[in-house]
Amino acid sequence: MPDGSVGQAVKRREDRRFLTGKGRYVDDIHRPGELTAVFVRSPHAHATVKSVHIDAAMASPGVIDVFVGADMEQDSIGSLPCGWTVTDRHGEPHKSPPHFPLVRDKARYVGDHIAVVLAETLEQARDGAELVEVDYDELPANVEIVKAVGGPPLHEEAPDNLCYDWVLGDEAAVDEAFAKAHHITKLDLVNNRLIPNPMEPRAAIAEYDGGLDSYTLWSTSQNPHLLRLILSAFVTGIPETKLRIIAPDIGGGFGSKIYCYAEETVCLWASKRVGRPVRWTSDRSESFLADAHGRDHVTHVELAMNETGEFIGLKVATRANMGAYLSSFASSIPTYFYATLLAGQYRTPAIFCNVKAVFTNTAPVDAYRGAGRSEATYPLERIVEVAARELGMDPAEIRRKNFIRPDQFPYNTPVALTYDIGNYEASLDEAMRMINYRGFSGRKAESQARGKLRGIGFSAYIEACGIAPSSVVGSLGAGVGMWETAQVRFNATGTVSVLTGSHAHGQGHETTFSQIVSDTLGVPMENVEIVHGDTGQIPMAMGTYGSRSLAVGGSAIMRACGKIIDKGKKIAAHLLEASVEDIEFKDGNFTVAGTDRSKSMAEVAFTAYVPHNYPEDLEPGLDETAFYDPLNFTYPAGTHICEVEIDPETGVTEILDWVAVDDFGKVINPLIVEGQVHGGVAQGVGQAMLEHGIYDSGSGQLLTGSYMDYCMPRADDLPSFKVGMIETACAHNPLGVKGCGEVGAIAAPPALINAITDALGIMHLEMPATPEKVWRLAQTAAAE
Amino acid sequence: MPTVTMTVNERQVSGEVEGRTLLVQFLREHLNLTGTHVGCDTSQCGACVVHLNGDSVKSCTILAVQANGGKVTTIEGLASGDALHPMQEAFHEHHGLQCGFCTPGMVMSAVDLLSKNAKPSEKEIREWLEGNICRCTGYHNIVNAISHAAQQGDAA
C-alpha cells in the first residue's frame, strides 16, 4: 500500500534540508567571476534627475561599471508592464504610465532606482555607490490617498493622478434599496498599508552565456515562468528559448515575489553588458523601500436593512493607492479581487462599488496575502458588526439571518461571482461551540471584576481563490491565462518525477503533491520526486499566488496521472492479453476484472521504456503532460471568533482565544493546512494590531523602514490557535479542494477589531489597534 | 587584513578577513556554511543565530575578529551524522517550519533556551523567541515543537 495517504497528517518531506542548513536559497548560490550590484536609490519622494556623475564611483577600487537609465534605453530595455487592464466607468483603459527599471526622467518615490554600481565585492559596490553624485531638482510630493487627485502630478499620462475610476454592480438597484431601508449603517475606515516582509529578502543572480547567447536568472520568484514571459515579451526582448529562470528554495513570498522587479531586470541586462554574472541581494532596508507593498485603502461603506435586520443593499466607495508606478498586477487587486467579494456570505441582493485608484509618491502597491479579498472582508464584516450593535442584535444572529443557505448553491452574487458550494451556518455553529460563546458574558463579568475589558469578535468571511478560469479573467482584462501545468514522468525503474508549475516557498507542496501522486498511482512516496521552480525543466506554467497551487496545480497533476493510467491500461492489456476495457486500476496494479491476473505500475513503466512486447499502435514511454484550466474560482469560507482582554491602564490588548473554523473542501494534509491557517491569522493579527507602513506626509520618507519601526508579530504577541474545519467539497475540480493559504489574513483583521471595539464599547477604531490608541480610547470610555 | 582562527562545528578553521567582516559573513562566504541566514540589517530577525562558546548569539552583530579563538556551532553542526538533533526532530514532528528561512536561527535559539531553562512554560518560550521573527508559522507550531522537545528532555 502507498504510504502517502490523502487526508493524513504526513510529516513534510522538505523539512530535513531546511533543518540541517542545506536549503538552497538564491543568496547561497555563487557563480564564477560574479560581480555584485548595489543600487543607488532616490532619497527624495519626487525629484527631477538632472544629472548623474559616475566618475568618482568608476575610479573607486573594485568598481567595474556604473549604469543609469539612459544606458538601458540605449539597449531598448522597456518598461515593466502591468499585466491587467482595468476598464474604467467610461469604457477607457486605466492609465498605465511607463515604469523603467532605472529612471529616465525623475524619481517618484523614496527608494526609486537611479543607478546601479557593479563591483568585485559587495563592500566595493557599496563604497562605489556612495560616490555616485546625483543632481536632483526636488518636486512637491504627495503620499496620501485622499490628497492624490489634484496633487502634484507624478506622470504626464495621468495628470490628475487618477489611474482609474471604476464601478461594479447595479447602482440604481442599490439606490432603490436604500430609499426603502428601515435602517442604514454607515462607516468610514482605512485599510492600513502593509509591507510584506517574507524573511528571505529578494535576490537575483544573472549569468549570460556568450557561446549560446543565452541567459540564466536565479530569482526569488513565486512564478518563474510568468517572470520569463514578462521579461521576454515586454521588457528585454530576450526570446523565451534563450532565458532560463530558476527559483530555488524561496524564503516566503506572500505575494511580494510574484512581480517582475527592477533589480532583477537590471542584473539580467547588465550580465551581458559586462560579460560577467551579476548578483544582487536586497538588504532589509531596501526590502522595506522597494518591495511591492499591500492594502492601503480608504473606504466609505453603507449597509441598508429592512425591519427584521435583513440586508437589502450595500454601497461601497473606495480610494486605493497604487503607489508611484503600477506593479505587475496592481490594477486588478482593488477591482476584480476586491469588489467581487463584497457579497461575502450574505444574500444582499443589491451591491454597488466604486473604486478610484490613485498614484502617490510611495512604493508600488500590489497583491499581499489575501489580496483584495482581505480588503473586502474588512469593511463588510466591520459594518455588519456595527449594524448589529446599532440594531441591538446579536452579532452571530445578524449573520445567520443573512447567510446564503446551503440549498441556494450555486449562488449568483450581485457582484459577478457564482459560489459553487458552502455551508456558512455550519462553520458559525462550530466556531461558537469551540469558543463557548454562551459562556462569554460570564467571562466578561469575571474580567470586569479584575478591572479588565473583555470583548469578542466575529468574522464570517468568504474568499475567491484557485485563480482562475482563463476565459473569465481574460474578459475582465487579464493579460495572461491562469491555467496550470503538470508533467508526470515515469522512469524505467518505476520512480516518478512530477514537474509542476506551482512553486513552493513554504507551502509544503513536495509533501502534499507527493501524497496525491502516491495515492493516485499507487507508488510509494519515496519514489515520487516533485520538481518545481525551473523554466528549463518544467513546461510553460503560471505559478503560485491566490491560493491556487492545490486547486489548479494539483488538479493538473491529477489530470496527468489520469493520462498515465489510461496509457498504462493499454500496456497492461497487451501484457495480460486482455481487452483494455477489462483492465481495472487500483492501488498501483492493473488487473483483469474478475481475475487475479495483474501487472504492477512498475512493470508497466518498465515495459513502456523497454517495449519488446508492446502494443503495435502505441508510442513507447510513460510520460504525460496536462494543462488544467479551472472552471470557476473556489470559495473557501468560514467563521473566525476571537476573544480579547484589554488592560485600560496600559492599553495592552491580549488575545485570549482564537477559533478558526474553515471550509477548505477536501483536505489533503491537515498538518500543513493548519499551519497555513496559523500563519495567515498571524499576518492578519499583525495588520490589526501591529503593522503599518507609514510615509511622512511632509517629506515623503518611509518612517517604518526597518524592524525597529515596523512592528512584525513576535511569538509573544500571539496566542495558540484553535483550528476546526467543516467540509463541503469543491464542486468543480477533481480533488474537491478549495485552497487555504490566505484565509487567515482575510478573516483575522475584522475579527480582532470587532473584539477590541466590543471590549471598549465603541463602534470603530482604525488599524493597527496599538496600545497607545487603545489606551486613549479606554481612558475616554472610562471618563464618560 | 587580520587572520582569525576558530573552531566551527568542531573543526579548526582560519581565514583572512577585513576588520568590518561580520561573523555571519565569515561563516557564509569564507566557510560556505550557508545555513546561517541574513534576514535583516538591524539585528532583529534572528535568522543568523549561532552558538558562540555555548551561548546563542546573532552572528550579524559580532565581528569575525571578535569570535577569534572561540567555539562556534552553526545549524550544520547540530545533527550527529544522519541523526537529527532532538530539537530538529521536534520541529519536523510538529511542523515548526514552512519556508525554512528563519528555521536555523529558531532551532539554534531554542536549543539555547533549553540549555538555560529545561522546562520553560509556553509564556517563557514565547518571550525567549522575541528576537526571532518568523513570517510563516504564526509561531504556534514552533512553540509546540519546543514544548515537546523540552518534555522529551535531551534537546538542550
Side-chain angles (χ1 to χ4, degrees):
Chain A
M1 278 296 289
D3 56 0
S5 300
V6 165
Q8 300 301 308
V10 176
K11 308 281 185 295
R12 294 202 326 168
R13 311 178 73 193
E14 43 275 83
D15 284 356
R16 194 178 176 90
R17 69 176 185 272
F18 297 127
L19 282 164
T20 53
K22 295 190 174 69
R24 166 145 310 192
Y25 301 88
V26 173
D27 188 59
D28 300 339
I29 295 165
H30 290 278
R31 302 301 300 164
E34 67 187 9
L35 298 174
T36 298
V38 165
F39 287 83
V40 176
R41 295 178 183 277
S42 172
H44 304 296
H46 200 188
T48 303
V49 178
K50 286 160 67 187
S51 57
V52 182
H53 304 282
I54 64 169
D55 294 352
M58 286 295 288
S60 184
V63 172
I64 300 300
D65 229 326
V66 180
F67 296 117
V68 296
D71 297 307
M72 296 187 85
E73 188 174 7
Q74 204 176 55
D75 284 352
S76 304
I77 301 299
S79 159
L80 306 175
C82 175
W84 196 306
T85 303
V86 168
T87 302
D88 75 8
R89 66 192 305 170
H90 311 295
E92 297 294 318
H94 73 248
K95 302 289 193 304
S96 193
H99 179 195
F100 295 112
L102 294 176
V103 305
R104 294 185 185 174
D105 53 353
K106 58 181 188 173
R108 291 178 175 84
Y109 67 103
V110 172
D112 208 351
H113 312 69
I114 309 297
V116 64
V117 176
L118 307 179
E120 299 287 351
T121 70
L122 173 62
E123 290 76 11
Q124 289 170 336
R126 277 190 179 143
D127 292 344
E130 290 290 320
L131 297 170
V132 174
E133 275 179 48
V134 188
D135 214 355
Y136 294 102
D137 222 349
E138 269 193 81
L139 298 165
N142 170 55
V143 298
E144 293 177 61
I145 298 176
V146 294
K147 293 183 182 165
V149 173
L154 276 77
H155 301 281
E156 279 173 19
E157 296 78 1
D160 53 2
N161 292 323
L162 190 64
C163 179
Y164 53 76
D165 179 351
W166 174 90
V167 292
L168 182 69
D170 185 341
E171 190 169 20
V174 169
D175 287 344
E176 201 179 311
F178 274 75
K180 64 179 185 198
H182 169 72
H183 183 80
I184 295 171
T185 295
K186 300 179 181 181
L187 191 62
D188 286 290
L189 35 72
V190 173
N191 203 298
N192 43 326
R193 176 180 281 244
L194 301 178
I195 304 178
N197 276 299
M199 293 318 297
E200 178 205 27
R202 284 189 294 121
I205 305 171
E207 183 168 17
Y208 175 69
D209 181 327
L212 295 171
D213 187 28
S214 72
Y215 299 78
T216 304
L217 175 66
W218 288 263
S219 167
T220 48
S221 174
Q222 299 180 208
N223 30 244
H225 290 81
L226 192 55
L227 178 61
R228 184 182 64 170
L229 176 64
I230 294 172
L231 285 169
S232 289
F234 302 103
V235 185
T236 66
I238 299 167
E240 284 177 277
T241 48
K242 296 290 188 187
L243 176 56
R244 177 181 180 187
I245 298 185
I246 301 173
D249 288 328
I250 304 297
F254 315 113
S256 71
K257 292 173 180 169
I258 296 172
Y259 321 115
C260 178
Y261 280 100
E263 293 89 352
E264 59 202 350
T265 307
V266 170
C267 290
L268 182 66
W269 163 79
S271 68
K272 180 176 182 182
R273 185 85 179 228
V274 296
R276 290 173 65 176
V278 175
R279 69 182 292 118
W280 170 77
T281 299
S282 174
D283 59 32
R284 184 57 61 183
S285 305
E286 287 182 286
S287 146
F288 273 103
L289 290 174
D291 286 4
H293 294 180
R295 316 289 193 248
D296 212 356
H297 287 191
V298 174
T299 292
H300 176 75
V301 54
E302 297 186 14
L303 177 64
M305 285 152 284
N306 67 14
E307 293 75 6
T308 64
E310 274 182 80
F311 307 156
I312 58 170
L314 180 76
K315 200 157 44 175
V316 179
T318 290
R319 278 169 289 176
N321 200 342
M322 297 284 98
Y325 304 97
L326 288 179
S327 172
S328 306
F329 292 97
S331 56
S332 66
I333 305 306
T335 49
Y336 296 107
F337 290 93
Y338 170 67
T340 50
L341 272 300
L342 287 168
Q345 301 187 351
Y346 309 114
R347 298 188 309 271
T348 319
I351 300 175
F352 178 72
C353 180
N354 171 223
V355 179
K356 293 186 174 77
V358 297
F359 294 109
T360 63
N361 295 104
T362 64
V365 178
D366 207 324
Y368 167 66
R369 196 175 197 168
R373 295 143 296 166
S374 180
E375 293 92 309
T377 302
Y378 184 60
L380 185 60
E381 284 304 283
R382 280 296 298 124
I383 197 143
V384 166
E385 193 75 22
V386 173
R389 288 176 196 168
E390 287 179 353
L391 294 173
M393 289 178 75
D394 181 279
E397 293 320 304
I398 196 172
R399 289 176 166 88
R400 190 187 303 277
K401 182 186 267 294
N402 285 285
F403 278 161
I404 298 161
R405 293 185 301 268
D407 61 3
Q408 292 180 300
F409 294 100
Y411 183 85
N412 292 317
T413 74
V415 273
L417 295 178
T418 302
Y419 299 166
D420 60 339
I421 194 165
N423 186 346
Y424 307 141
E425 217 169 339
S427 51
L428 176 69
D429 286 340
E430 176 63 2
M432 288 168 72
R433 186 193 67 75
M434 283 172 67
I435 206 154
N436 183 14
Y437 184 60
R438 282 186 191 164
F440 174 70
S441 55
R443 298 193 294 274
K444 189 176 174 73
E446 187 273 326
S447 293
Q448 206 164 6
R450 286 185 287 108
K452 303 284 176 65
L453 307 170
R454 199 169 182 118
I456 195 162
F458 286 70
S459 174
Y461 73 91
I462 191 166
E463 67 146 322
C465 64
I467 57 174
S470 296
S471 60
V472 174
V473 294
S475 71
L476 302 178
V480 291
M482 287 195 176
W483 43 268
E484 194 48 275
T485 188
Q487 186 174 1
V488 174
R489 179 189 297 162
F490 267 87
N491 300 301
T493 53
T495 58
V496 197
S497 301
V498 179
L499 292 82
T500 169
S502 299
H503 188 277
H505 30 280
Q507 299 92 334
H509 295 169
E510 290 167 41
T511 304
T512 305
F513 290 169
S514 296
Q515 287 177 259
I516 297 172
V517 172
S518 172
D519 270 22
T520 307
L521 298 179
V523 177
M525 258 180 91
E526 64 265 25
N527 287 357
V528 180
E529 189 72 22
I530 306 296
V531 181
H532 62 93
D534 183 354
T535 65
Q537 296 188 66
I538 296 152
M540 180 58 186
M542 293 312 297
T544 296
Y545 39 85
S547 304
R548 69 196 302 272
S549 293
L550 190 56
V552 189
S555 294
I557 291 173
M558 286 298 285
R559 187 168 279 185
C561 287
K563 291 185 180 179
I564 291 280
I565 292 168
D566 288 347
K567 186 168 182 181
K569 281 182 177 173
K570 292 178 188 164
I571 299 168
H574 179 86
L575 294 174
L576 294 164
E577 297 176 339
S579 77
V580 175
E581 294 72 35
D582 290 338
I583 302 293
E584 291 173 346
F585 179 73
K586 200 179 169 220
D587 297 338
N589 288 301
F590 296 92
T591 306
V592 182
T595 75
D596 59 358
R597 291 164 56 222
S598 74
K599 290 287 173 190
S600 71
M601 182 56 102
E603 288 174 290
V604 165
F606 184 80
T607 306
Y609 289 103
V610 188
H612 298 164
N613 175 19
Y614 202 71
E616 263 179 31
D617 53 352
L618 198 63
E619 290 173 19
L622 197 56
D623 184 346
E624 297 289 344
T625 300
F627 292 81
Y628 179 81
D629 201 335
L631 298 170
N632 190 354
F633 293 86
T634 60
Y635 299 97
T639 297
H640 288 211
I641 309 177
C642 72
E643 209 164 303
V644 301
E645 190 177 75
I646 293 169
D647 183 341
E649 298 305 314
T650 62
V652 170
T653 302
E654 188 184 353
I655 302 171
L656 299 175
D657 207 353
W658 196 289
V659 165
V661 179
D662 303 295
D663 178 359
F664 299 128
K666 294 273 184 200
V667 169
I668 308 295
N669 186 324
L671 185 75
I672 289 176
V673 167
E674 286 181 22
Q676 290 292 309
V677 174
H678 300 157
V681 170
Q683 279 172 299
V685 170
Q687 165 156 38
M689 292 178 65
L690 307 165
E691 300 178 39
H692 193 182
I694 304 171
Y695 284 90
D696 180 68
S697 58
S699 66
Q701 296 294 321
L702 181 66
L703 298 178
T704 52
S706 80
Y707 288 149
M708 314 275 275
D709 315 291
Y710 185 91
C711 189
M712 294 280 280
R714 309 303 207 275
D716 57 359
D717 295 315
L718 296 165
S720 286
F721 307 105
K722 292 178 189 153
V723 178
M725 287 177 208
I726 65 142
E727 179 187 311
T728 63
C730 172
H732 58 79
N733 66 44
L735 288 160
V737 299
K738 299 183 181 179
C740 65
E742 297 174 281
V743 300
I746 293 168
L752 249 176
I753 298 301
N754 288 344
I756 292 171
T757 51
D758 180 48
L760 292 169
I762 60 172
M763 288 300 178
H764 186 60
L765 88 166
E766 299 292 3
M767 301 188 288
T770 57
E772 187 203 342
K773 252 185 231 175
V774 171
W775 179 79
R776 286 183 192 283
L777 289 162
Q779 297 305 306
T780 312
E784 277 166 4
Chain B
M1 288 206 291
T3 300
V4 293
T5 301
M6 62 188 89
T7 307
V8 178
N9 301 334
E10 299 180 347
R11 201 163 56 90
Q12 181 95 351
V13 298
S14 60
E16 278 192 7
V17 297
E18 288 187 64
R20 61 180 166 178
T21 303
L22 301 167
L23 177 58
V24 66
Q25 291 174 303
F26 182 67
L27 295 170
R28 287 181 58 80
E29 287 154 29
H30 291 244
L31 305 181
N32 202 28
L33 293 171
T34 54
T36 302
H37 296 148
V38 180
C40 76
D41 43 22
T42 49
S43 197
Q44 311 243 294
C45 81
C48 66
V49 169
V50 300
H51 295 176
L52 175 61
N53 301 325
D55 288 319
S56 57
V57 296
K58 288 180 172 170
S59 61
C60 73
T61 316
I62 288 188
L63 297 169
V65 292
Q66 288 176 287
N68 193 29
K71 181 174 180 300
V72 175
T73 307
T74 71
I75 190 71
E76 289 92 344
L78 206 57
S80 348
D82 279 347
L84 292 179
H85 182 278
M87 188 61 77
Q88 291 168 316
E89 200 59 65
F91 270 65
H92 172 59
E93 199 63 28
H94 298 281
H95 188 28
L97 65 153
Q98 292 183 21
C99 82
F101 196 80
C102 78
T103 307
M106 281 286 176
V107 169
M108 298 309 285
S109 188
V111 169
D112 191 33
L113 166 64
L114 297 197
S115 79
K116 295 180 165 61
N117 179 359
K119 301 283 178 204
S121 66
E122 179 181 334
K123 189 166 190 290
E124 287 172 324
I125 295 172
R126 288 183 180 276
E127 282 172 1
W128 177 268
L129 294 179
E130 202 270 338
N132 291 82
I133 303 177
C134 169
R135 193 56 152 169
C136 294
T137 65
Y139 304 96
H140 180 108
N141 283 337
I142 292 176
V143 173
N144 227 352
I146 297 171
S147 288
H148 278 85
Q151 283 157 26
Q152 303 268 314
D154 72 13

